[in-house]
Amino acid sequence: MKPYRSLFVFILVLFLLPLMTGCAEKKPQELEADDIHFAEFYSDYLLLSGVSARTGEELKADLDSGTLASLLSRHNLSVELLLKKSEAYQADPMLWQKVLVRVRENIRNRQSPPK
C-alpha cells in the first residue's frame, strides 16, 4: 500500500507544481529592441497617414507602396520582420498593448509644441 501512496504524492506534486509556479508574481514584460523599433516605425506610419494625437482621428490618407517602402527603408525594417512582429502581437495582446502605449507616447511627443 505504501508504493501507491508515494505514487499519489508524486502525481499530486507533478500537477500542483505548474499551478503554483503559474501563480507566482511575474515581473512586467519590457519591450525588446525590435518592439521599440516597430513602435518608432508605426508612429511615423500613423503620423504620415494623418492621425492626430489630440483628436485620435482615424487615418486620413492611405500611403502608397512607394511611401511605405521609403518608410520601411528609413527605419531599416523588412517586410519579414513586420510579419514576424505582427504574429507575435496577435499571440500576445498584452505586448501589443505595450507597443501601442509606446506609439501613443511617440506621437504625443512629436506633435506637442516645444516648451
Side-chain angles (χ1 to χ4, degrees), residues 16-83:
L16 289 179
L17 186 61
L19 291 176
M20 291 188 305
T21 58
C23 294
E25 186 176 328
K26 296 178 182 176
K27 65 179 187 178
Q29 182 180 6
E30 297 297 322
L31 292 179
E32 295 178 359
D34 279 351
D35 299 317
I36 293 170
H37 199 171
F38 177 85
E40 294 292 324
F41 161 79
Y42 196 52
S43 301
D44 283 349
Y45 172 83
L46 291 175
L47 287 170
L48 285 173
S49 298
V51 73
S52 169
R54 280 178 244 124
T55 63
E57 293 176 17
E58 292 183 19
L59 303 181
K60 297 177 186 174
D62 287 330
L63 300 182
D64 61 31
S65 60
T67 305
L68 186 56
S70 173
L71 188 59
L72 286 170
S73 176
R74 184 176 345 144
H75 285 276
N76 198 24
L77 288 175
S78 66
V79 174
E80 291 80 18
L81 179 62
L82 289 182
L83 293 174

Side-chain angles (χ1 to χ4, degrees), residues 1 6 19 57 69 89 107:
M1 187 160 204
S6 298
L19 291 176
E57 293 176 17
Y89 300 144
I107 290 173

